[in-house]
Amino acid sequence: IPFYAYFRKTSLLNIYDLVNSLTFLLPISLYWTYQLRKAGSAFAPIYIRTVMVGFLLGLFIEFTQLLSVSRIAEITDVLAYAGGGALGTFCIYYYERQILPMLESNQQGA
């Protein structure tokens, strides 16, 4: 069940672990999205790529934890890695669609 461990016992350590998993792929997806946008790619294929890379990376990491006695594999981290990939792409999307036009209109009005 996704997020079961975080709802069962909420602590700062659990919240930190969730945020850490979510932001693990964020810098990589920011850079990758920036490079793909610079090359002229549209956002839809970039979004699919970054989410799938995050998802597959999370699956790989959690699969290796199945072989460990001390760790438990959870679907939550897989979803968090995929979310981190999506978040990086969304940050670039938001910058290009919202912030950049507002900055340009402010510069033209000044």
Side-chain angles (χ1 to χ4, degrees), residues 61-76:
I61 290 171
E62 294 303 312
F63 178 73
T64 59
Q65 289 183 8
L66 287 175
L67 306 174
S68 173
V69 179
S70 63
R71 297 281 308 206
I72 297 173
E74 292 184 4
I75 191 69
T76 304

Side-chain angles (χ1 to χ4, degrees), residues 31-52:
Y31 178 74
W32 193 22
T33 302
Y34 174 75
Q35 290 298 328
L36 289 173
R37 284 297 292 165
K38 203 163 108 176
S41 294
F43 274 110
I46 295 172
Y47 179 75
I48 292 170
R49 286 181 191 175
T50 55
V51 169
M52 288 306 294

Side-chain angles (χ1 to χ4, degrees), residues 6-70:
Y6 301 101
F7 291 126
R8 181 185 56 174
K9 181 184 173 192
T10 303
S11 69
L12 287 177
L13 186 61
N14 283 346
I15 294 171
Y16 168 77
D17 184 42
L18 182 62
V19 171
N20 189 28
S21 297
L22 186 64
T23 58
F24 178 75
L25 202 64
L26 180 66
I28 297 167
S29 65
L30 274 170
Y31 178 74
W32 193 22
T33 302
Y34 174 75
Q35 290 298 328
L36 289 173
R37 284 297 292 165
K38 203 163 108 176
S41 294
F43 274 110
I46 295 172
Y47 179 75
I48 292 170
R49 286 181 191 175
T50 55
V51 169
M52 288 306 294
V53 165
F55 185 77
L56 293 173
L57 180 65
L59 277 178
F60 175 74
I61 290 171
E62 294 303 312
F63 178 73
T64 59
Q65 289 183 8
L66 287 175
L67 306 174
S68 173
V69 179
S70 63

